[in-house]
Amino acid sequence: MSYFLVCSPNSNNEKIFKLKWGTNTLGRSQSNSISVKHNSLSRHHAEIVISRDRSIAKDLNSLNGTFVNRKKIKQQTLKHGDLIICGTIVFKFLDAFANSEDNLEDSEDLPIVRQFSPQSNQVSIEDILDITKSSSSALRLKQKDVNRRDVDKLRILLEVSKQLSSPENLDQLLDKILALLLQIMNVDRAAILLVSEETKQLEQKAVCSRSGISVNYQFYSTKIINYVCKHGNAILTDDAGADRRFQGSDSILIQAIRASMCVPLQTGDYIFGVLYVDNLSKSKVYTEEDLEFLSALATQAAIAIDNSRLTEKMQEEAIWRDKMERFFPKAISRKLREEGHLEIIDTEVTALFADISNFTKMSSTMEPRQVIEMLNDYFNVMVEEIVFAYEGTLEKYIGDALLAVWGAPYAQKDDSDRAIQAAIDMQYAVRRLNREWAAKKRQPIAIHIGLNTGKVAAGNIGSKKLIQYAAIGDTTNVTSRICNVAKANEIVISQSTYNKLKHREDLPLEKLPLVRVKGKEKPLQLYRLHWQRISVDRTIPSEEINES
């Protein structure tokens, strides 16, 4: 099923967003799943959670609130056609498969001759099968006529493919395959074995049997399953003990297998397992028709198993990617996905160094846990909502300070402007944090920021197994020194950054007297940015305009 969110529906600015399964965040920040730049939206305003049984809208403590059909909500289950209002922006929630009036209205303009619902023609396997077990074949079909039996077999296989198409984990899928098999065919025991990626040997993954028959041991012949897996041929044995291909197989003799069938599980030319069934009481109970049908059913099962494995790998990849992006900046994880490594490059960056003023003195009055909680809240806003939103790269945390760069591993023409805007956002964000912390009786903080532009060597510094992306050079060292020049609530930039700004005439910059910093023979020309005088950009919370 597909779900969509229509922004500003039925207007010239209408925009459609496809919702993903799981959590979709909505707000002004670029880090959201759905980012809409508007002053009435909070950075992270709301979220829409899509699951199998329902869809839910949640407000994320936004300033202007979230409304569903004009009723303010904290959390609300959604249905097709609901209007979600965030700030002054209207969204319409659509379920692509809902039988709504909208769908009917849309169909009026279509040249429809006839409408057909697949559900109305859905096959019930029970209606086709002979539940009395009076069939002479292992395939329990009611029909005796050959042509009608062929039609019913196709109908069953179609229904099996439908039932196996729903996404499930592998264990559940294998159990479902065997349950369908026992429903359709008269067999005593069945097993699915898959080739292990580690050992390359067949391993039992699922078994089932008719009531009263034990499967708490290896009931299948190793020679039979290995023969099928190796040669890729489906086999039928009327009396496995008398079959020359399997002479010397103790399991066949000990278990008194009278008749069995074993077919490969494969996609294309790749055989990755086998499906095995047997009968303990009768010989010559299986026919070529049964073997042919079992092979066809195994083909459907193999496709479903392959899809399930692929889905699991995709989920594992998504989890791995999510974990990687928690440890590494998004730009770094993107570079790793694209190239598989982080080659050292010589490039120009604009570096931003932000430090909490008087942090040592302040933290001495706090419990260690309180310090960590405060820093986590602070860094989450500084990095997730600001550095990443302006497509910067977090280089490192240094105690209560952070170093971010623009220009590595990806360079853009306006890197310096992005870094400046990030610095401004950081100062405004600290104001907002202090308001929130005041309600929790936390101490307020102030930060000072330095920016500098220049050449660095950027890449993985360390071993190939331990990734540590870093920008090394005099540029980042000088950035730290410039940050030390800045006082609480100040932003100070270097001459090199000033020269790179595209719209520096629009910025309230104060040229400072030459400043000597540690490690530099010549004094530096620096500029103080009076960020409080800047008209708040739409990416900055509108509620903070009056505070400047």
Side-chain angles (χ1 to χ4, degrees), residues 194-414:
L194 302 179
V195 177
S196 167
E197 292 185 0
E198 289 77 26
T199 66
K200 307 302 178 185
Q201 301 296 314
L202 284 170
E203 294 182 356
Q204 177 181 300
K205 294 297 182 181
V207 295
C208 68
S209 67
R210 301 241 174 253
S211 178
I213 299 178
S214 174
V215 287
N216 294 326
Y217 60 96
Q218 181 180 317
F219 57 84
Y220 43 82
S221 165
T222 302
K223 283 195 174 183
I224 290 179
I225 62 173
N226 286 336
Y227 179 90
V228 172
C229 190
K230 178 180 178 180
H231 296 280
N233 296 324
I235 65 167
L236 182 158
T237 62
D238 287 336
D239 189 339
D243 195 314
R244 293 182 179 180
R245 289 172 296 182
F246 314 117
Q247 284 183 355
S249 179
D250 293 337
S251 59
I252 293 174
L253 299 175
I254 294 171
Q255 297 164 29
I257 299 170
R258 302 296 296 172
S260 68
M261 292 187 289
C262 188
V263 296
L265 294 168
Q266 67 183 93
T267 53
D269 295 329
Y270 175 56
I271 301 172
F272 58 82
V274 298
L275 173 59
Y276 172 91
V277 302
D278 66 17
N279 183 284
L280 298 177
S281 58
K282 299 178 181 179
S283 61
K284 298 183 180 181
V285 70
Y286 300 136
T287 66
E288 289 188 8
E289 180 190 38
D290 298 328
L291 183 64
E292 182 183 88
F293 181 84
L294 185 65
S295 297
L297 189 146
T299 297
Q300 300 295 332
I303 293 171
I305 293 170
D306 194 45
N307 288 339
S308 176
R309 284 176 155 183
L310 180 60
T311 300
E312 287 187 359
K313 286 183 179 180
M314 291 172 63
Q315 291 172 342
E316 289 172 0
E317 174 71 16
I319 293 171
W320 177 84
R321 185 166 59 248
D322 179 67
K323 287 181 178 179
M324 184 174 71
E325 290 181 351
R326 289 175 185 269
F327 285 99
F328 303 114
K330 292 181 179 179
I332 304 305
S333 58
R334 174 186 164 192
K335 194 73 171 178
L336 283 170
R337 291 196 303 272
E338 290 176 351
E339 301 181 8
H341 64 285
L342 297 171
E343 182 180 353
I344 297 176
I345 59 172
D346 294 315
T347 186
E348 182 179 82
V349 301
T350 294
L352 180 154
F353 202 100
D355 200 2
I356 299 177
S357 305
N358 300 316
F359 179 77
T360 302
K361 180 179 179 181
M362 180 184 69
S363 61
S364 66
T365 64
M366 302 167 62
E367 294 293 329
R369 178 177 291 274
Q370 293 176 320
V371 175
I372 293 174
E373 290 175 350
M374 185 269 288
L375 287 176
N376 284 342
D377 287 349
Y378 166 74
F379 283 133
N380 181 67
V381 173
M382 296 298 111
V383 176
E384 294 288 338
E385 297 187 17
I386 300 177
V387 173
F388 290 168
Y390 285 102
E391 300 183 68
T393 299
L394 175 67
E395 210 261 26
K396 68 180 73 172
Y397 296 115
I398 310 170
D400 60 303
L402 68 87
L403 173 62
V405 297
W406 279 258
Y410 299 97
Q412 302 188 70
K413 294 181 179 179
D414 60 345

